[in-house]
Amino acid sequence: MMGTVFLIGAGPGGYIAAIRCAQLGFRTACVDDWTRAGGKPAPGGTCTNVGCIPSKALLQSSEHYDHAGHAFADHGIGIGALTLDVGRMQARKDKVVAQNNDGILFLFKKNKVAFFHGLGSFTGGDAEGGWKLQVAGAKAAELVAQHVIVATGSTPRALPGVAIDNLRVLDNAGALALTEVPKRLGVVGAGVI
C-alpha cells in the first residue's frame, strides 16, 4: 500500500484523480457535496451537473427537433404539426445527468474509492504526520491522509453591476433549467430573456 489520498471535490478533475490514485495502490477517499433531486449524491461537478453533459443532452434534443422541422422533408419524410415539449426535454436531460452521476459512483465502488457525500475541510495536521480532515454530511467522518488533492471546481461569477437573477441574466444552471424557449439569447454565460 502506497499511502492515503483524500480528494475534496468529485468533478472531472477530482473523480478521475481519485480513481487513478486507487488504481496506483493508494487508499483513496473522495468527498463531494453536489446533490440531485431526492437528496442523492451527484458527483461529477459542474461539467456533469450544470455544464457539458446537460448542455449536450439538450443540444441533441434541439438537433432532433431541427431535423424534424427542416431536414426530414429533404428525405421525403413529412411530419404533421411539430411540437416542442420543453418539460420532456428537461426530464430527459435530468435522466442523462443522473446516469452519469450513478456511473461515477459505480466507478468509485469498482476501484475501491471511499465516497463521502458532504463537505470536506482541513482541521489540522501537517505534511509529516498527515493532514486531518473532517467530512460534514450524512456520513460524517474524521480522516487523516498523507496526501490531499483539492479539486473544488468552479462557480459562476457575475459581471460588475450585472446581477445573475436567472430570470433576465442567467448563469449556466439557470440556462439549463429553462422551462420555455427564450425569445432571444445573449452571449454565452449570460442569457437575456
Side-chain angles (χ1 to χ4, degrees), residues 36-177:
R36 60 182 151 157
K40 292 182 178 183
T46 297
C47 178
T48 298
N49 293 295
V50 291
C52 312
I53 301 303
S55 295
K56 289 175 182 177
L58 289 173
L59 179 62
Q60 184 182 34
S61 296
S62 300
E63 287 175 341
H64 288 316
Y65 179 80
D66 182 64
H67 288 305
H70 301 97
F72 285 2
D74 294 341
H75 295 273
I77 302 169
I79 294 181
L82 187 61
T83 63
L84 181 66
D85 185 339
V86 176
R88 282 185 81 176
M89 287 176 72
Q90 289 287 359
R92 178 186 170 277
K93 179 244 334 170
D94 292 343
K95 182 179 177 183
V96 169
V97 169
Q99 289 170 335
N100 277 268
N101 298 144
D102 291 341
I104 293 167
L105 292 170
F106 170 78
L107 290 172
F108 278 165
K109 188 174 184 178
K110 178 182 175 186
N111 288 283
K112 298 181 175 93
V113 174
F115 177 72
F116 295 89
H117 185 217
L119 289 170
S121 60
F122 289 92
T123 59
D126 56 42
E128 290 197 23
W131 300 102
K132 295 179 183 177
L133 302 135
Q134 175 181 321
V135 174
K139 216 167 104 176
E142 292 186 7
L143 306 165
V144 176
Q146 294 168 310
H147 309 281
V148 179
I149 298 173
V150 179
T152 54
S154 65
T155 55
R157 183 175 173 192
L159 297 170
V162 182
I164 298 171
D165 61 5
N166 282 324
L167 298 171
R168 292 189 47 81
V169 179
L170 310 170
D171 63 9
N172 54 326
L176 292 168

